[in-house]
Amino acid sequence: MNATLLVKTAVRAGLAIGTVGKGAKPHAFRNADEATLAGVTLCKRTGRVDMSGDIEAELCGPCSVELIALLAQVFEEAAEETPATTEEPVEDDTEAAEDNAQGGDEETVLTPGPESIETTQDREEKSRQEAGPTRALVTTTDYKTVEGMEEILNAGAAVIADAFKTTISIGLKVANTMLQLRRFILVDGLPSLDGKSNQYQAAVAALFDLATKQVAGVHEVDVKEVRNQIKRAAQNQMSAVLVPYVRALDDADEEERARYAPLLEAAEESQRVAVEAARSYYDEALKDGNEEHIALAAETLELAERPISLTDLVHDHYDIPRQTRQELSKADAARRRELAKASKAARDSSAEEEAEEESAPAPAPVAPTTVVPAAVLDDVAQVLASVPLTPVSVLEGDERDALIEQLDEIEKLLRIIRDAANPL
């Protein structure tokens, strides 16, 4: 049992007293800042020196333990420094420590400074350092290099693979049970095949509640988690049992077809009306004698008289997919492969065309064909038409000047035409 010292023992040892947090127990401080009066207690907690508490009050338990160890260390060091004599008896340090602890002579005060205070934790740390380096901590950087890792992985993978198969198998079995519930629970005279009716949902809940009650020796938290997992597994496998069931309805026996009597009766009535209309149309076409009309009417009558498919009726009425989730996934994967193949072929073809274009010789430069603007040709024609056929040497005065001016204009136009025809 740990001894608990009084506050006055810590005061006599020269330690400050204060509180930590909202605690009522006084603590002894190893040191304290003179300005803020904040410090660390012997039990290594932070607090504030306020010298509160009755001097006869009990000190904090951990602080008492550390203070006893501190006093013992101080007395031990004092005994080592004092030479032993045989003439005069030496007062027992332990008794002096007990006197101090019990409130003895107040003139005997121990005042160890902060540098002499050594807690139990400090001594343990010193012992660890003196014992030498500990074993180095290793961090795995590549799990594949761990010895025996391959065997662990293979064994674990086998267990998980079995769990996969078991989960799928359980999901199929539970989904089959749910399908039976849907077949027998009716809504407006028809099976609750889409699983949306309240009574079907209540039956599923009752099914799982009954199963839960039959589980013994398993914690309820684990049962709840597994229950949810089984529900999800059954939902994932529902299309795997529902779609094949609907596909087989065309070949079902009369008892199974009778479950969908309202659908069949409505379809038969619609078919009767359609057949009468198609037969009337066919009779009119025969009277008309038009071969095209007769062929079209015969095709219409054939379609109207086609046997009713219960599978199609159920698919359309309940909006049930015609493929299972697994079949849809497989078809989607096939489409993705085809798209990837087509995309690769297109990239390869484009790369080949680019390579052919780069390797092909550069085409010979083609001389540009310049078309003289029609407006320029019109101007030339007008100027030429206005030029008289009289030689320049015969003309005199203004006529001669006018003719020379026209010839200059013609020269300019011809120069424009030559430049346009030979830009280089």
Side-chain angles (χ1 to χ4, degrees):
M1 181 175 179
N2 293 331
T4 302
L5 301 183
L6 302 180
V7 170
K8 63 183 180 181
T9 304
V11 173
R12 289 172 180 172
L15 300 179
I17 302 300
T19 56
V20 174
K22 297 181 180 181
K25 282 280 187 181
H27 291 255
F29 282 75
R30 303 175 61 179
N31 50 47
D33 185 87
E34 294 181 358
T36 63
L37 297 180
V40 181
T41 66
L42 292 183
C43 59
K44 292 192 174 181
R45 298 178 65 184
T46 58
R48 184 177 181 83
V49 174
D50 53 13
M51 299 305 292
S52 63
D54 184 6
I55 195 169
E56 298 293 337
E58 291 184 352
L59 197 63
C60 161
C63 286
S64 297
V65 174
E66 295 297 335
L67 181 55
I68 291 173
L70 168 63
L71 295 175
Q73 179 186 357
V74 172
F75 294 146
E76 182 180 352
E77 292 175 353
E80 291 177 353
E81 295 176 359
T82 303
T85 61
T86 57
E87 297 178 357
E88 298 180 2
V90 179
E91 185 180 357
D92 189 353
D93 291 337
T94 304
E95 294 179 359
E98 291 176 353
D99 290 340
N100 287 332
Q102 296 174 3
D105 188 1
E106 296 186 0
E107 295 180 358
T108 305
V109 177
L110 300 177
T111 57
E115 67 279 355
S116 67
I117 297 177
E118 183 178 16
T119 64
T120 304
Q121 292 88 337
D122 295 334
R123 289 193 293 275
E124 291 176 355
E125 180 63 27
K126 183 184 295 184
S127 300
R128 284 194 294 269
Q129 294 177 358
E130 293 175 353
T134 59
R135 180 180 177 184
L137 299 178
V138 179
T139 299
T140 301
T141 57
D142 185 0
Y143 73 92
K144 298 176 184 177
T145 61
V146 177
E147 184 178 357
M149 179 59 66
E150 185 176 357
E151 290 78 4
I152 296 174
L153 292 177
N154 290 334
V159 173
I160 295 174
D162 289 339
F164 286 163
K165 296 176 183 178
T166 302
T167 303
I168 294 172
S169 176
I170 292 174
L172 284 170
K173 292 178 180 179
V174 177
N176 266 309
T177 301
M178 291 180 171
L179 176 59
Q180 303 313 312
L181 295 177
R182 295 185 182 191
R183 288 174 60 230
F184 285 93
I185 295 176
L186 303 180
V187 177
D188 296 332
L190 289 172
S192 180
L193 212 57
D194 54 4
K196 296 179 180 179
S197 72
N198 293 334
Q199 288 304 308
Y200 168 74
Q201 298 293 339
V204 171
L207 171 68
F208 278 88
D209 288 342
L210 184 60
T212 302
K213 293 178 182 178
Q214 297 178 12
V215 177
V218 181
H219 197 280
E220 60 180 3
V221 173
D222 296 329
V223 172
K224 183 177 180 181
E225 291 180 356
V226 174
R227 172 176 174 154
N228 294 333
Q229 292 171 3
I230 293 175
K231 274 188 176 181
R232 286 194 295 270
Q235 291 169 355
N236 291 337
Q237 299 301 324
M238 197 65 214
S239 67
V241 298
L242 181 59
V243 172
Y245 166 76
V246 176
R247 286 176 183 170
L249 285 177
D250 282 339
D251 300 323
D253 56 26
E254 289 301 321
E255 182 180 358
E256 194 66 29
R257 292 176 66 87
R259 299 182 189 278
Y260 305 94
L263 285 181
L264 288 170
E265 291 172 359
E268 289 170 355
E269 177 61 22
S270 298
Q271 185 183 43
R272 184 185 63 77
V273 174
V275 168
E276 289 180 359
R279 186 171 287 115
S280 176
Y281 175 50
Y282 180 71
D283 293 340
E284 292 294 331
L286 289 177
K287 292 178 182 179
D288 184 52
N290 188 307
E291 296 296 332
E292 293 183 1
H293 289 176
I294 294 173
L296 180 59
E299 183 179 354
T300 303
L301 181 59
E302 182 181 357
L303 290 175
E305 293 178 340
R306 188 176 58 182
I308 297 173
S309 170
L310 180 57
T311 294
D312 291 340
L313 290 177
V314 171
H315 272 301
D316 294 340
H317 179 77
Y318 294 96
D319 194 22
I320 295 175
R322 294 181 179 270
Q323 290 180 299
T324 66
R325 188 172 60 94
Q326 293 81 358
E327 291 170 345
L328 290 173
S329 177
K330 185 177 180 180
D332 183 64
R335 284 193 297 269
R336 290 178 182 274
R337 287 194 297 270
E338 291 297 326
L339 288 175
K341 187 185 299 183
S343 177
K344 183 177 183 303
R347 290 195 301 269
D348 293 344
S349 176
S350 176
E352 291 177 359
E353 292 177 359
E354 292 178 358
E356 291 177 358
E357 291 178 358
E358 292 177 357
S359 61
V366 179
T369 301
T370 305
V371 179
V372 179
V376 175
L377 296 178
D378 291 342
D379 291 342
V380 173
Q382 291 177 5
V383 172
L384 292 176
S386 65
V387 175
L389 299 179
T390 305
V392 178
S393 58
V394 178
L395 299 177
E396 296 181 352
D398 295 337
E399 292 182 354
R400 178 185 176 88
D401 294 338
L403 180 58
I404 292 174
E405 185 176 351
Q406 287 178 339
L407 292 176
D408 290 340
E409 292 294 330
I410 292 173
E411 178 64 25
K412 291 178 182 179
L413 292 174
L414 292 176
R415 190 180 302 113
I416 293 173
I417 293 173
R418 284 196 300 273
D419 294 340
N422 302 287
L424 301 178

